[in-house]
Amino acid sequence: MKILVCISNVPDTTSKINFTGDNKEFDKNGVQYVINPWDEYALTRAIELKEAKGGSVTVLNVGEADAEPNIRKALAIGADDAIRVNAHPKDAYFVAQQITAVANEGGYDMILMGKESIDYNGFQVHNMVGEMMGIPSVTPAFKLDMVDDSTARLEREIEGGKEVVEVKLPFVASAQQPMCEPRIPNMRGIMTARTKPLKVVEPTGGEAKSEYVNYSKPEKKSGVKLIEPENAGELIKLLRNEAKVL
Amino acid sequence: MSVLVFVEGLNGEIKKSSLEAASYGSQVAQAMGTTATAVAIGDVHEEALAKLGEQGISKVLYDADDRLKQFVADAYVKVIAKAAQQESAKVLVFSNSNIGAAVGSKLAVRLNGSLATNVTELPKIDGGNFTVTRGVFSGKAFAQVNLTSDVKIIAVKKNSTDIISNGGSAATVEKLSADLAESDFAAAPKETVMQDTGGGVLLPEAEIVVSGGRGMKGPENWHLIEELAKELGAATACSKPVSDIGWRPHHEHVGQTGITVSPNLYIAAGISGAIQHLAGVNSSKVIVVINKDPEAPFFKAADYGIVGDALEVLPKLIEAAKALDK
């Protein structure tokens, strides 16, 4: 089974988010980058399936060279090889086109990724790739198993419940918890990752359909109004009469 | 040229998030000098559809195919694409739900359109520019984005639009048939299982959320969270450590790697307010924090606070909530 896992290189969840250049650009200064946490579920599950059924796991990133440490980290966790499409990921549509081009060429059985990136929160790319390739996309999935060599069984979250879906290979799925326990690299993995192939390819096409023009941050709260714990009931009255939310 | 809104039904009624999308869509239509049409599928009564007039919808296209009662992305896309073509829709509006965002993404490819999900405000339409504001960095920031294609697709974040209720008279309901083939149902679910909320409120749709963290000391104390939620008509939620230890199910985990909520009122009991948790809740209109540590970072993001042990404070809140006129 050939599995393609798409990963994004994103600011660590503890990052403070700032903008520069008249709020037109994200300020990378002092920001640590990690593999998008949602993508870690897809990566680990792909490696588990490979271990159980044989095959290979290829990691794909659409991004610039500064993503390579985290691509190496994915290799250290257990992927076999990697491809980086050398481009700034302009928008979801652009990224989906790049993934589709790589996936069509590679003939993968499964294309997995996280349900969204924690920086741009699109929840778009997986469904766009499915549509571009004309294959099913099951999102967001929290369970993924093989029924037989050509059929997978997934459970996906819907508002207020879940759906059980069976699809034939090939398909696209996006992952979220509790699909698996994401792995961290061990020393042996880190050593072998250095020599695993990482291919850099240039983007194809390149059309984006949206344009980020400006950023802003949420307004700061004006300050907390404290209520003594002995008079906790007073809070309920304030919520009704002052805040008017009850 | 018109605006097309996709509305989702549940048990015959229209979901609150779809009433928000309808309100959003009719306001966009007004700004563009056109009308708003809704498209509905599956599990919703025709009377409920006609009432969309209140949200400013003039016409509803309804595909009553029984096979559409459960969500099948390819079939939904086909129906909505047909409605979009019939209405020459230039703007399509969805709720930013797992269904709405999924169908919106596929339609963006099929209709060659620009898509923005997680949209928090009405667009600014200025000459040739159509600019929306969307939440990015998991609630830590907003971005203004130009949608550059002829067709624009917008998925509106829940609880970020007021529902308008004086839009106009009843909408006309027309049948729509998209001539669906067996192959459109190839990825249809085998089984759909709805959560038992015990008659409570679903977290993604909730206007009030009562959430607990490690300060609750154990799952055996969760009856306090549940009881307060019941009195306030709220949904229950939890912090990441709580779902990681297994005190509560994963679908209750609110935060950067869980779900993002934006209710009118978020009550956090025994949650310190790590930056990842704040990201998931900071678009809530009013935040209440109960924590015994006065230095807990959550107090900086709160409107009201009580410095005290959640296990002692919650019973007092439950008592006061019971005394409210409902």
Side-chain angles (χ1 to χ4, degrees), chain B residues 291-325:
Chain B
N291 203 297
K292 66 178 179 194
D293 176 9
E295 300 298 320
F298 217 154
F299 283 116
K300 289 202 175 71
D303 299 281
Y304 296 95
I306 298 180
V307 179
D309 187 333
L311 300 184
E312 287 163 22
V313 171
L314 284 171
K316 295 194 176 114
L317 297 184
I318 293 166
E319 199 184 321
K322 280 188 173 148
L324 277 182
D325 295 333

Side-chain angles (χ1 to χ4, degrees), chain A residues 123 203 244:
Chain A
F123 190 75
K244 300 191 193 309

Side-chain angles (χ1 to χ4, degrees), chain B residues 4-18:
Chain B
L4 185 71
V5 180
F6 173 61
V7 295
E8 297 173 42
L10 183 68
N11 303 326
E13 299 301 326
I14 293 168
K15 285 186 186 171
K16 176 174 163 276
S17 50
S18 287

Side-chain angles (χ1 to χ4, degrees), chain B residues 105-190:
Chain B
S105 304
K106 291 172 92 57
L107 281 165
V109 175
R110 201 165 295 192
L111 304 177
N112 207 15
S114 294
L115 169 65
T117 51
N118 211 22
V119 170
T120 55
E121 287 173 27
L122 285 167
K124 291 194 174 56
I125 305 169
D126 174 17
N129 283 342
F130 190 102
T131 312
V132 295
T133 298
R134 60 182 303 267
V136 291
F137 295 98
S138 303
K140 291 176 187 169
F142 298 100
Q144 282 74 47
V145 186
N146 278 344
L147 302 184
T148 50
S149 301
D150 195 26
V151 173
K152 292 126 184 26
I153 304 175
I154 298 169
V156 184
K157 185 177 178 183
K158 290 170 192 171
N159 270 327
S160 59
T161 309
D162 290 330
I163 295 173
I164 52 176
S165 55
N166 55 355
S169 51
T172 56
V173 180
E174 289 175 19
K175 288 274 187 281
L176 175 74
S177 173
D179 303 316
L180 296 169
E182 248 346 278
S183 59
D184 296 318
F185 294 88
K190 290 259 170 215

